[in-house]
Amino acid sequence: MSFIERAELAVLEQNRRALRALLVTPKARASGLAKVEDLYIPGPAGQLRARYYEAADAANTPMTLFFHGGGFVTCDIDTHDSICSHLAKASAGRVLSVDYRLAPETRFPGQIEDARAACVWAFQNAQDFGASPNKLALAGDSAGAYLAATMALEINRVTPGAVPLQVLLYPLVHVQDSLWAEEELRNFRFLGRAAAFYIARFLGAEALPSLLDVDLSAAPATIVAGGGPLDPVRADAKAFVAKLREAGVRVIERKYVTLTHGGLNLTASSKTAIRALEEVGALMREELARL
């Protein structure tokens, strides 16, 4: 390992610790949940940490499987405890948040493999938690939204309708430098371009498939929530929504002008984050009740 690589890893570790210090706080969790339970589920390279959330008024609807963001290199179920707890409460549902192996310790497609294993386990065990069987909603923020959308397409191509809903929060849809460069000087794209560059390096996934280039006809009904000018992926989210609609997918889109990328984690201090999660959760409740 070169000096530069060692330095980059040292900085990454500092960032991971800083994010945990900022985001892991009990007061960020939604109150009034019937159950919050930590567990482990089998993954392709060992056990994966998971956390189950159940609303006090949970309906007999499909479970929602959530994948956290963090550019595939940071964060975990603890940093995203706030998002999942608020979504579970507002949706009157059941949310299962699952960790996946991070880069650069695990190169791509290890993250996809872990997400796939989590989906298999959730389908097999959802009914044991009181959720309706044979269907699964998928959700995630940023990089986690990429995993959710990828898994929804993969599953529905094999078993149409098995994933009837996906919830994508400021989704990362690609890390292709050429696309980021097109708008580098607008909408804070220069920050996004730098982030995407390092994500691709750490993942070893310069060829990470762009969700703008795949067949989206198998995508389920979709809720997309994004931020304003401080959300560098918003242009991509807009393009992705357009592609979904072109494929005949029903899309519900919500935009929060003052929301930053990653801002939904800040429920301990941000009324915007709480309001957005409550609204997205209410939309989830409506969509899941249709099934």
Side-chain angles (χ1 to χ4, degrees), residues 85-106:
S85 64
H86 281 274
L87 288 180
K89 181 177 181 178
S91 68
R94 298 168 174 84
V95 174
L96 181 68
S97 177
V98 180
D99 270 346
Y100 51 88
R101 291 169 292 163
L102 300 177
E105 293 86 351
T106 298

Side-chain angles (χ1 to χ4, degrees), residues 4-52:
I4 293 177
E5 290 173 330
R6 289 196 299 271
E8 288 177 339
L9 286 176
V11 171
L12 177 58
E13 283 300 328
Q14 289 179 346
N15 289 339
R16 287 172 173 172
R17 290 193 293 270
L19 283 170
R20 286 188 60 84
L22 174 66
L23 300 177
V24 182
T25 171
K27 66 180 181 179
R29 178 182 289 177
S31 61
L33 292 169
K35 184 182 294 185
V36 179
E37 178 184 353
D38 285 359
L39 59 151
Y40 288 88
I41 69 173
Q47 298 287 92
L48 300 173
R49 290 181 66 219
R51 184 167 295 153
Y52 171 72

Side-chain angles (χ1 to χ4, degrees), residues 66-184:
F66 185 92
F67 298 111
H68 68 79
F72 302 110
V73 298
T74 65
C75 295
D76 54 27
I77 62 172
D78 297 325
T79 59
H80 283 63
D81 181 80
S82 56
I83 291 179
C84 293
S85 64
H86 281 274
L87 288 180
K89 181 177 181 178
S91 68
R94 298 168 174 84
V95 174
L96 181 68
S97 177
V98 180
D99 270 346
Y100 51 88
R101 291 169 292 163
L102 300 177
E105 293 86 351
T106 298
R107 308 289 268 185
F108 182 81
Q111 296 73 30
I112 295 288
E113 293 166 355
D114 287 355
R116 185 178 295 119
C119 289
V120 170
W121 190 91
F123 270 112
Q124 292 174 342
N125 294 275
Q127 195 168 10
D128 293 341
F129 291 89
S132 58
N134 304 321
K135 292 185 183 297
L136 184 68
L138 295 179
D141 71 307
S142 193
Y146 181 94
L147 295 177
T150 300
M151 287 298 99
L153 288 171
E154 180 178 300
I155 293 167
N156 281 351
R157 285 168 184 155
V158 176
T159 308
V163 176
L165 176 67
Q166 61 181 357
V167 182
L168 310 178
L169 311 176
Y170 31 70
L172 175 71
V173 300
H174 70 83
V175 293
Q176 293 180 2
D177 184 68
S178 60
L179 295 179
W180 285 96
E182 289 176 0
E183 297 183 331
E184 184 175 8

